[in-house]
Every structure is written in structure tokens, then in C-alpha cells.
Amino acid sequence: MIMPSNHSQSATANDADSGASDLSEEIEESCCDASSPDCGEDAAAAGGEPAESGGTCPTPMSWRGVMKKFGEEATTAVVNRDGYSLYCRAWGEGEPLYFLNGFGGTSELFVLTAAVLRDEFRCVFIDEFSSEPGAHLPPRTVTVPEAVADLFAVADHFGDDVISLYGATLGGALGLAAMDTQPQRIHRAALQGGFAFRHFSPAERLLIGLGQYVPGRLQHVPLRASVQKQNHGLWFPPFDGSRWKFLAENCDSVPLRIIARRAALAHQIDLRSRLDQITPPTLIVQTEGEGRIATACQAELKSRLPHVEDFWIDSTGQVPFLTHPHRLAKLLKPFFRGEPLPESGSAPPAVQDVTATPIANTTESHDD
């Protein structure tokens, strides 16, 4: 079983969660700060309204309203591959921006960020399984070349010769592989928690191998809720228990075989010798709460990729696309436009001092 990783935060997370369930489930996060000149515009694009006082900070985003609009407006497609199918949705207008999944959850975790971007970008989401009746799990783990070919097959289906990418954890690594394989088709890529190589211990490799044959979903794993809460709970809006429930239910819905196959795919990836030759402009997005292993992996990317920028986002945790979608979108918009980035926050000294040393083992696991 591959579960989220982070430093210990369980006590604080529990404090943040206490009382949240007593509030109205329609109350949502205050997603951007009032100093942003386009804050109200972003909120309106996502289904919110400008605040009555001040006029700049939006009414907090309602994720239920966003998901309803997404379901009504997104274009759906099934792209058939060799013995399996890819379930795809596209939402918005403009340049194509493809979101690549991490180890846990489905592409719906990206929808709140896409809601803020969809007026400028056609956001494309890809899942390798579907909960729809009649859909079947992929019969095997794909190889890295097959996964990259899958991405470009979806792009071909939507008529996209050149695309931009946002990849989280495993999605960041596959984004690197795509940039290495067909750099002419990648305009720009933002990688959050990405890596060129992740070491898996013998015990982890054994679990990955066994997990590919285990029935059931993540919800059936004992203690998974407490691990999720420890690793992610602190970073969610403390007055909105419903959004945390969205993350938990989304991740719980993923079959264990899919999680194990994603981890097996990650185990195949080793792009360390190729980093100097990956040429598309790349943004390394680092977040508070990412953990030591992720920080070391991203330090390697920052030091080796030839056309790289980096940005530190504090107080968002490992799923900023869900906890703070407006903050993330205000970073992604200028990057994908080729404009200067906003001023980055300062990482804590413990993160700034990490270097890309070889990783001997990982007691931290590999989820987003």
C-alpha cells in the first residue's frame, strides 16, 4: 500500500478538524488574498462572487458548485489502447493544459484549480480506470514508454499537437518522461513533487508486487484514514470539513490494484542520466509539507534541468490544487503564458539546505 508522506502533524491536524463538521458544508475556503488584483475575477470564473466589502477578495469557492458545472460542461472521451482504455475529460477554452495524476486519487482532484484556469486553458484530465458501470480495470501495469504514448494518444484524440503539463508526484515524473521522449510536443511543464528517480525498499517492492493482485479499494485498508489525516489534514481550510471529505472519498475510491500499478510504474522511472537533455521550460513547484524525500528529488531537478524555474508555496500541503486552487492558479497562469512569476515565498531553512544526495531508502511513501 502506498500512502501519503509528510512530517508528523497529527495533533495540529486534529485541532484544525475539530468542529469543522458542525459548520455548513456550503462554507468554503477563502481562496486568495485580498491584495490580488484579479482575485474577484478568478472567483467569478470558478463560480464565486466578489465580496461585498472591499470588492477584491471573492466569496469562497464552492467545490460542489464547481463539480456540478464540470459535470455539465466537460467533454468526455474514451481513448482505447492495447487492451485497456483511458477515460478523458476536457473543460475550458484556450491552449491545452494536461493534468497528470499522482499516486493516489483521480483527476477530479484537479478540477477546482481548472475552474480558475478554464477561461484561458482547455484543461484535460486522464484516468486509467472508471467507476462507470461496465468499465474494467487495466489488465496489467503499463511500461513508461506506454504511459508516455498514452498521453500523446489522448493529445492526438483532442487534436493537440503541442500541450502544456501540470504533473503531481508520479504525474511529474511521467511529465519528465514525456518531455524527454517528444520535447517538440511539450510547450511548458509545471511539476509538483516530481522526481527523476525514486528508490523503493525491498519491503515496498514486495508490497507493490502483491498489491497488483489484491481486490478492493483504498477504503478497505486499515488505518488509512488516520494516515491521510496526519499527512494532509493540517493544510485544509479548517472551517470546511466537506472539502477534506472530498479528498478522502476520492482517494478511497481508487482500487488497490491501481495504486500498486502506479507505484510499479514509478519504480521503472530513472531519468537521472537524461535530465541535462530535457529542454522544455519547466517549473518546479514546492509546497510546505512535501517531506524530505520529495524535497531531495526536486533539488536534483532544479540543479540539473537546463531551463528550470522554481517556486515555493507555503501553507498548502501536498495537494495545493485542492486546498488552495486560486494560489496555485495565480502561479500557473504567468508561467504557462511565459511571463515573470510572482515573488516566491521563502522556504524554511531545513528545506533550503537539502541537497540532491542519493537516496538510500524511503520510509516515507509516495502519494500526493
Side-chain angles (χ1 to χ4, degrees):
M1 176 182 65
I2 307 301
M3 296 294 290
S5 65
N6 197 4
H7 32 294
S8 178
Q9 298 153 342
S10 55
T12 311
N14 290 335
D15 291 342
D17 186 62
S18 63
S21 59
D22 296 331
L23 298 176
S24 167
E25 291 190 338
E26 294 305 317
I27 296 176
E28 300 300 331
E29 68 155 337
S30 184
C31 348
C32 60
D33 79 50
S35 64
S36 170
D38 62 348
C39 193
E41 178 182 347
D42 284 350
E49 299 292 340
E52 293 182 4
S53 60
T56 54
C57 195
T59 298
M61 183 186 291
S62 167
W63 71 261
R64 284 186 180 82
V66 171
M67 291 301 299
K68 182 175 184 293
K69 187 178 289 289
F70 174 66
E72 294 170 348
E73 297 179 353
T75 300
T76 62
V78 176
V79 178
N80 293 316
R81 304 295 289 152
D82 184 14
Y84 58 95
S85 298
L86 302 171
Y87 301 88
C88 312
R89 286 170 286 187
W91 192 31
E93 301 291 338
E95 297 299 316
L97 172 57
Y98 281 59
F99 288 82
L100 305 183
N101 287 337
F103 286 97
T106 74
S107 64
E108 288 187 348
L109 296 179
F110 297 118
V111 169
L112 268 69
T113 294
V116 189
L117 297 171
R118 77 185 195 280
D119 287 341
E120 287 190 45
F121 301 93
R122 178 165 44 82
C123 300
V124 180
F125 312 87
I126 305 169
D127 287 297
E128 73 274 47
F129 76 98
S130 172
S131 58
E132 295 296 322
H136 300 284
L137 294 183
R140 58 183 173 83
T141 298
V142 301
T143 64
V144 174
E146 285 177 319
V148 171
D150 288 345
L151 169 63
F152 291 122
V154 174
D156 291 340
H157 175 86
F158 285 108
D160 297 327
D161 293 330
V162 179
I163 63 177
S164 291
L165 301 174
Y166 178 89
T169 60
L170 173 61
L174 290 176
L176 281 172
M179 289 189 282
D180 180 48
T181 303
Q182 296 195 50
Q184 74 281 4
R185 297 197 65 176
I186 307 299
H187 174 57
R188 286 174 170 263
L191 312 180
Q192 181 241 316
F195 55 89
F197 173 78
R198 292 293 293 262
H199 176 86
F200 289 85
S201 69
E204 288 174 320
R205 293 197 295 271
L206 176 62
L207 286 173
I208 290 168
L210 294 175
Q212 296 180 64
Y213 304 97
V214 174
R217 298 175 184 269
L218 186 61
Q219 64 185 350
H220 301 124
V221 175
L223 302 178
R224 62 87 181 70
S226 60
V227 174
Q228 287 174 336
K229 177 63 71 174
Q230 175 178 331
N231 292 330
H232 298 294
L234 173 64
W235 315 105
F236 275 72
F239 43 79
D240 177 22
S242 68
R243 192 175 299 185
W244 167 258
K245 185 179 179 182
F246 176 36
L247 173 72
E249 291 183 348
N250 182 282
C251 292
D252 284 354
S253 71
V254 179
L256 292 171
R257 292 178 184 177
I258 292 295
I259 296 175
R261 289 172 184 175
R262 289 176 178 176
L265 180 61
H267 186 238
Q268 302 174 35
I269 296 173
D270 187 353
L271 295 167
R272 290 174 292 181
S273 65
R274 301 286 302 165
L275 288 178
D276 296 337
Q277 302 173 56
I278 294 177
T279 56
T282 306
L283 173 64
I284 304 301
V285 180
Q286 294 190 259
T287 65
E288 188 173 357
E290 66 185 13
R292 177 180 59 86
I293 300 300
T295 300
C297 288
Q298 292 181 98
E300 181 175 35
L301 301 184
K302 291 190 292 184
S303 66
R304 296 278 311 282
L305 290 170
H307 304 293
V308 65
E309 298 179 85
D310 65 279
F311 196 95
W312 167 262
I313 309 179
D314 65 294
S315 306
T316 63
Q318 300 171 77
V319 286
F321 38 86
L322 181 59
T323 60
H324 295 76
H326 282 83
R327 291 184 63 192
L328 180 61
K330 288 191 291 183
L331 167 63
L332 297 181
K333 283 182 178 181
F335 172 71
F336 289 125
R337 293 170 184 156
E339 299 171 354
L341 300 180
E343 184 177 350
S344 178
S346 297
V351 175
Q352 291 175 330
D353 293 341
V354 170
T355 56
T357 54
I359 300 170
N361 60 74
T362 62
T363 56
E364 298 176 81
S365 52
H366 317 99
D367 200 355
D368 55 8

